Amino acid sequence: MKIEETWKSMDNEAESLSGADIRAGLSAKVKRRDPVQKLNKRLAWKIFFTILFLPLYFGAVFYVESWLPQLLFIIIIVAHLIGLVFFIRRYQRAKSLQLGENDSRQTLKLYIENIKATLRQEELGGLILYPIAAAGGFFFSLLEKMSLEEALADNRILITLLILMIILTPLSHWLARWMNRKTFGKYLKELEERLRLIESED
């Protein structure tokens, strides 16, 4: 096909599009690139995964027969329920802060701080939950081979558990922070750069 014919074909296609079609296409393109939309979606993911794992912990409580691992899994369930309420509120807060071309600098600041505070408090809460989760998983697998009384009477097992908690807690914390940076960091930087530009114009 000749170049002239190609251009004519493109012109005809453009003429067949209505103004509404063009505006809808532009709006979709903006949404794909909007860091706020991306961040809100990632907050929604946290709600989804919190709900996803809750049935597993409930199942573990009824599966094990010893009081200690049951208590540990109940603590984990309570922590996840608190986390679920926390994430829902943070998500609602993020959705209430509507950003756009004419939004104030303060609104953008509040949105960024809401996301950062969410991640920060999640990571701090994890430091408390990780050793409990490690102990729960440890006893969950161990008590299939021996009774709870035998496990608690064996110093080697208790030392192994302590070492496991010491290793897994900072490792899990580092992994959680890395995942949050990977998931949220790029879009937070975009918003911080946008805020810096707004402030430089004032």
Side-chain angles (χ1 to χ4, degrees), residues 73-105:
F73 282 115
I74 288 173
I75 293 173
I76 294 171
I77 289 171
V78 172
H80 273 69
L81 290 173
I82 294 172
L84 181 60
V85 174
F86 170 74
F87 286 132
I88 290 174
R89 288 182 175 177
R90 288 294 183 172
Y91 177 74
Q92 291 173 338
R93 172 65 171 161
K95 295 286 285 185
S96 70
L97 295 169
Q98 298 294 329
L99 303 179
E101 294 181 359
N102 299 320
D103 284 324
S104 67
R105 176 179 58 186

Side-chain angles (χ1 to χ4, degrees), residues 156-169:
R156 292 175 301 176
I157 291 177
L158 297 179
I159 292 172
T160 301
L161 173 60
L162 180 62
I163 294 173
L164 182 68
M165 293 167 66
I166 292 173
I167 293 174
L168 285 183
T169 298

Side-chain angles (χ1 to χ4, degrees), residues 46-117:
K46 287 189 177 291
I47 296 172
F48 170 76
F49 283 115
T50 303
I51 295 173
L52 181 66
F53 285 109
L54 273 172
L56 299 179
Y57 298 127
F58 275 108
V61 170
F62 292 103
Y63 180 81
V64 297
E65 298 178 353
S66 301
W67 66 268
L68 181 56
Q70 285 179 335
L71 176 62
L72 293 172
F73 282 115
I74 288 173
I75 293 173
I76 294 171
I77 289 171
V78 172
H80 273 69
L81 290 173
I82 294 172
L84 181 60
V85 174
F86 170 74
F87 286 132
I88 290 174
R89 288 182 175 177
R90 288 294 183 172
Y91 177 74
Q92 291 173 338
R93 172 65 171 161
K95 295 286 285 185
S96 70
L97 295 169
Q98 298 294 329
L99 303 179
E101 294 181 359
N102 299 320
D103 284 324
S104 67
R105 176 179 58 186
Q106 184 62 21
T107 304
L108 185 54
K109 279 185 175 180
L110 289 173
Y111 184 87
I112 293 171
E113 179 53 34
N114 180 62
I115 298 295
K116 286 187 172 182

